[in-house]
Amino acid sequence: MSKTVNISSPSQFNEVLQGSKLVVANFYTETSDASQQVASVFEQLSHALSRPKLVTFTKVNTEQQKDVAEAYRVTTIPTFIIFRNGKVADRVQGADPIKLQSVVKKLSEEVQNLASGGGEASGNSSGGGANWRGAALPRGYSDITDQIELRYCELLNVDPEAGGVRVLFDTARPSALSGGKSAAKDWVESDTDEQLLLFMPFQSMLKLHTLQLTSLPPSDDDEEEVPLRPRRIKLFTNKPHNLGFDEAEDLSATQEFELSEDDWNAEGTANIPLRFVKFQNITSLVLFVVDGDGDGEKTKLDRVRLIGESGEKREMGKLEKIGDEPGE
């Protein structure tokens, strides 16, 4: 008997994501030869690895569940998306059974760890303080940072000796707050000058209400040059890819602002309200750190949080109309 869950509605898919720590979703069509080529491999993996509340394999017919396919930007059939704790962890596009098995092999190792009580596979780059929050959420809105498509993020002018772009979205408490040294650097620093350019594409259309940035002094006293906190920032919406630095300097921003020392709280976080009317139906965000607050050549950024509403919670037809009416 098949253990695979056939998805019949968006709400059922959301229930599956919430009810299992790891979910492997097969986005397919009945008429696709490529889908049929890997169907048996998928069913074998499902039979071998499915575990109640730990690992669930699902099938999503993209012709019947168009909203689900659009929400996760499925354009290739078949596409296999692996979710960890409701968030996209990896994806395999096309009929590539070898790559699928490779990804699922890694998944199976996590399954064994979970089943043996070895702890939850969080994907955080630093231990402790899971789901840490640097500032309170505005009433009526939630943290939608998990809607960022991590695989396609790009950070320019980053110091290779610091952390990579993914650490910015880590849910763990920044190591700089503990005053100790982290095994891995869980922050980013600019390289040749103060500027940083961060491109963030999303899994679905978002309504952004607030941007939360965390920037903390380094915990390493041996640091030759103390990096700065961001001062001037420009935001650009719905760009298909990252901008160049000259382009970002010249372009008119969707919103720009200047931070001062008073904007940073005790957790090193600046809570920045956005002009909500300008941040409707957002599919990507470019964050441009123009300069740092002080004299120096390096800017430091520990965490980035996006607060608002996810488009997945709304019908696609209604989403397309949000913000088009006068006064919204």
Side-chain angles (χ1 to χ4, degrees):
M1 182 176 178
S2 176
K3 297 180 180 180
T4 305
V5 178
N6 289 295
I7 299 301
S8 59
S9 68
S11 61
Q12 183 195 13
F13 189 66
N14 287 332
E15 288 175 4
V16 171
L17 292 180
Q18 294 170 10
S20 184
K21 294 183 182 298
L22 296 165
V23 175
V24 184
N26 175 6
F27 289 83
Y28 75 104
T29 65
E30 295 286 358
T31 57
S32 166
D33 291 338
S35 293
Q36 301 307 317
Q37 290 174 17
V38 291
S40 61
V41 174
F42 185 80
E43 286 300 324
Q44 291 170 13
L45 294 170
S46 174
H47 182 77
L49 296 174
S50 292
R51 301 287 188 279
K53 297 184 178 180
L54 284 179
V55 184
T56 302
F57 284 73
T58 71
K59 293 175 67 177
V60 182
N61 188 321
T62 59
E63 293 176 333
Q64 298 174 2
Q65 304 301 323
K66 294 181 179 180
D67 284 354
V68 179
E70 289 176 0
Y72 292 100
R73 294 186 175 184
V74 175
T75 56
T76 301
I77 301 298
T79 290
F80 302 90
I81 303 181
I82 293 86
F83 297 84
R84 182 191 291 112
N85 296 324
K87 303 176 184 179
V88 175
D90 209 339
R91 70 170 65 207
V92 177
Q93 293 182 316
D96 190 342
I98 295 176
K99 185 174 181 181
L100 177 61
Q101 290 181 26
S102 174
V103 170
V104 176
K105 181 180 179 181
K106 179 181 177 182
L107 165 70
S108 67
E109 294 173 355
E110 296 186 12
V111 173
Q112 294 174 9
N113 183 45
L114 291 169
S116 63
E120 186 172 307
S122 66
N124 292 338
S125 63
S126 58
N131 298 317
W132 170 86
R133 190 171 305 288
L137 294 177
R139 180 175 296 182
Y141 297 95
S142 58
D143 188 335
I144 53 174
T145 310
D146 61 0
Q147 292 299 305
I148 296 172
E149 190 70 84
L150 295 179
R151 295 184 64 195
Y152 302 107
C153 286
E154 183 181 39
L155 182 61
L156 301 182
N157 193 39
V158 61
D159 187 339
E161 294 185 3
V165 63
R166 287 175 178 252
V167 303
L168 293 173
F169 315 114
D170 197 331
T171 59
R173 178 184 175 89
S175 62
L177 283 173
S178 66
K181 295 183 180 180
S182 173
K185 294 184 176 181
D186 63 335
W187 66 88
V188 303
E189 290 183 15
S190 60
D191 190 13
T192 59
D193 57 27
E194 306 163 71
Q195 297 187 330
L196 289 167
L197 255 175
L198 172 62
F199 172 66
M200 296 170 280
F202 305 137
Q203 298 170 16
S204 61
M205 283 193 282
L206 306 181
K207 296 172 63 178
L208 296 182
H209 181 275
T210 301
L211 174 67
Q212 294 181 347
L213 301 179
T214 301
S215 181
L216 297 153
S219 56
D220 189 350
D221 294 333
D222 297 330
E223 189 89 29
E224 293 182 2
E225 179 184 352
V226 178
L228 310 172
R229 281 174 165 162
R231 185 175 70 95
R232 284 191 299 146
I233 292 175
K234 298 175 72 173
L235 299 178
F236 305 89
T237 58
N238 294 339
K239 299 299 180 184
H241 50 72
N242 211 349
L243 302 175
F245 286 96
D246 290 341
E247 186 180 12
E249 289 270 18
D250 296 337
L251 274 180
S252 177
T254 307
Q255 185 172 343
E256 54 185 303
F257 42 86
E258 185 170 321
L259 300 174
S260 67
E261 184 177 350
D262 293 337
D263 292 313
W264 304 94
N265 66 16
E267 295 284 279
T269 299
N271 199 62
I272 305 161
L274 302 179
R275 298 191 187 107
F276 203 31
V277 67
K278 292 190 174 183
F279 290 84
Q280 311 288 315
N281 296 347
I282 303 305
T283 57
S284 70
L285 184 70
V286 174
L287 187 155
F288 177 34
V289 177
V290 183
D291 58 26
D293 190 8
D295 297 325
E297 294 296 324
K298 285 184 174 291
T299 301
K300 183 172 184 279
L301 199 55
D302 293 75
R303 297 291 184 270
V304 174
R305 292 285 183 270
L306 304 180
I307 313 302
E309 296 179 6
S310 169
E312 293 178 45
K313 299 178 183 178
R314 297 179 181 271
E315 297 177 10
M316 296 303 291
K318 292 182 179 179
L319 252 179
E320 293 169 358
K321 296 177 183 178
I322 292 173
D324 290 341
E325 299 299 328
E328 283 197 15

